[in-house]
Amino acid sequence: MKIGKLAKLTACTIQTIRYYEKEGLLDTVKRSEGNYRLYDSRAIKQLMFIKHCRSLDITLSEIRQLIEIRDSPETTCNNVNALVDRHIKQVDLRIEELKELKRQLKILRRKCTTGRVVKDCGILLELSQ
Amino acid sequence: MKIGKLAKLTACTIQTIRYYEKEGLLDTVKRSEGNYRLYDSRAIKQLMFIKHCRSLDITLSEIRQLIEIRDSPETTCNNVNALVDRHIKQVDLRIEELKELKRQLKILRRKCTTGRVVKDCGILLELSQ
DNA sequence: GTTGACTCTATAGTGACTATAGACTTTAAA
DNA sequence: TTTAAAGTCTATAGTCACTATAGAGTCAAC
């Protein structure tokens, strides 16, 4: 299978697949006579693993770690658990930050009602302090 | 006042100040004989305005718009209100996305308990599907 | 044989900074 | 007065995870 088909099957762009290869997340695969990459089902699995991780906002560097861990099947997986725990904490923190941000924005928004002219705009006045 | 003092007063880094100037958010200021930038209180105000906006996650491009609007004091400020409203919506959307992400991560986390070996790790198994 | 679809590499751009190199200026101490 | 340290200058590259483009090569069908 060539890269276009893999891209369709996995709903990745061709550029992204090549990018993951360059970053060492996908194995390099053999090439056709015309230098086209040739993929098999193993590549689909690898790519879906990456996609799944990315959909959970796991960074490429963390994915690299997970791949490395996965390839030592007899070690304990405590570091996998730790990685996920750390990730949940980060997401939580970001949610709290954004909630506070929203609160601030709403306060700001209330400083001005529609139809004023700029020099009386409560929002701009507030932002200028 | 030279750039280092401005940086201290506003808790910005020197590089960031120069960056904002390059991006047209800060006025270019006059220079000393030795080509050092010389700032006055006007620069402090401009920079604090930018900082205040950035703390609300307003993009540099939006800040540019706000500056432009602010400099036409007789026009209505409806576009300021619209910009803030749009921003609140975006933040809200992002919060919802992150909440869903957190839910997914927690589900994932429950797939594995501590102390297993990698080849039995429920998290890695789940991610591989 | 030629058109069109596909693929290749290499490079630049995104946003909002951050970091570095190498040179110049100013200030303070010896 | 020298010199060392601290401050500043410009220009450039790096960050992250892609995305977009240029220009060239490959392949299949008509």
Side-chain angles (χ1 to χ4, degrees):
Chain A
M1 161 183 22
K2 283 179 287 183
I3 199 167
K5 187 160 181 206
L6 180 63
K8 277 225 175 87
L9 280 176
T10 57
C12 274
T13 69
I14 290 172
Q15 291 102 305
T16 300
I17 295 172
R18 291 199 280 241
Y19 174 69
Y20 288 160
E21 181 189 311
K22 194 157 72 74
E23 291 298 307
L25 297 167
L26 284 175
D27 288 346
T28 53
V29 293
K30 59 179 187 296
R31 302 287 186 114
S32 72
E33 282 187 17
N35 198 34
Y36 288 5
R37 290 171 181 83
L38 295 176
Y39 296 99
D40 55 17
S41 62
R42 179 178 156 79
I44 301 178
K45 274 189 195 160
Q46 287 182 354
L47 190 45
M48 291 309 289
F49 178 81
I50 298 170
K51 276 211 81 176
H52 199 161
C53 290
R54 289 297 299 138
S55 76
L56 298 170
D57 246 14
I58 296 172
T59 65
L60 297 194
S61 151
E62 288 172 329
I63 296 173
R64 251 188 298 267
Q65 292 170 49
L66 287 176
I67 290 173
E68 207 174 307
I69 293 168
R70 199 190 45 189
D71 293 347
S72 337
E74 295 300 340
T75 61
T76 81
C77 65
N78 291 340
N79 31 19
V80 176
N81 301 331
L83 195 152
V84 174
D85 282 339
R86 215 163 49 232
H87 208 68
I88 290 174
K89 273 212 188 89
Q90 274 172 28
V91 171
D92 229 5
L93 187 67
R94 187 64 187 145
I95 289 172
E96 289 312 310
E97 283 173 4
L98 286 179
K99 277 185 180 168
E100 172 60 20
L101 177 59
K102 184 179 163 187
R103 221 173 54 79
Q104 294 295 328
L105 282 168
K106 286 201 156 175
I107 291 171
L108 181 66
R109 180 60 183 85
R110 278 200 294 276
K111 301 277 176 186
C112 188
T113 51
T114 49
R116 295 206 210 174
V117 290
V118 163
K119 69 171 162 29
D120 302 322
C121 174
I123 292 176
L124 288 175
L125 286 172
E126 180 73 15
L127 285 173
S128 298
Q129 277 163 24
Chain B
M1 164 184 19
K2 282 179 286 184
I3 199 167
K5 188 162 181 204
L6 180 63
K8 277 225 176 87
L9 281 176
T10 58
C12 273
T13 70
I14 289 173
Q15 291 102 306
T16 300
I17 295 172
R18 290 198 280 241
Y19 173 69
Y20 287 161
E21 180 189 312
K22 194 157 72 74
E23 291 298 305
L25 296 167
L26 285 175
D27 288 345
T28 54
V29 292
K30 60 179 186 298
R31 303 287 185 113
S32 72
E33 282 186 15
N35 198 33
Y36 288 6
R37 292 171 179 82
L38 295 175
Y39 296 100
D40 55 16
S41 62
R42 179 179 157 78
I44 302 179
K45 275 188 195 162
Q46 287 181 353
L47 190 45
M48 291 308 291
F49 178 81
I50 297 170
K51 275 211 81 176
H52 199 161
C53 290
R54 289 297 298 137
S55 76
L56 298 169
D57 246 13
I58 296 171
T59 66
L60 298 194
S61 150
E62 287 172 330
I63 296 173
R64 251 188 297 269
Q65 292 171 46
L66 287 174
I67 289 172
E68 208 174 307
I69 293 167
R70 199 190 46 190
D71 293 347
S72 338
E74 294 300 339
T75 62
T76 80
C77 64
N78 291 341
N79 30 20
V80 177
N81 301 331
L83 194 153
V84 175
D85 283 338
R86 216 163 46 233
H87 209 68
I88 291 174
K89 273 211 188 90
Q90 274 172 28
V91 171
D92 231 5
L93 187 67
R94 187 65 187 143
I95 289 173
E96 290 311 311
E97 283 173 4
L98 286 179
K99 278 185 180 167
E100 172 60 19
L101 178 59
K102 185 179 161 185
R103 221 172 54 79
Q104 294 295 327
L105 283 168
K106 286 200 155 176
I107 290 171
L108 180 66
R109 181 60 184 83
R110 279 199 293 275
K111 302 279 176 183
C112 188
T113 50
T114 49
R116 294 204 210 176
V117 290
V118 163
K119 70 171 164 26
D120 302 322
C121 174
I123 292 176
L124 287 175
L125 287 172
E126 179 73 16
L127 285 174
S128 298
Q129 276 164 25

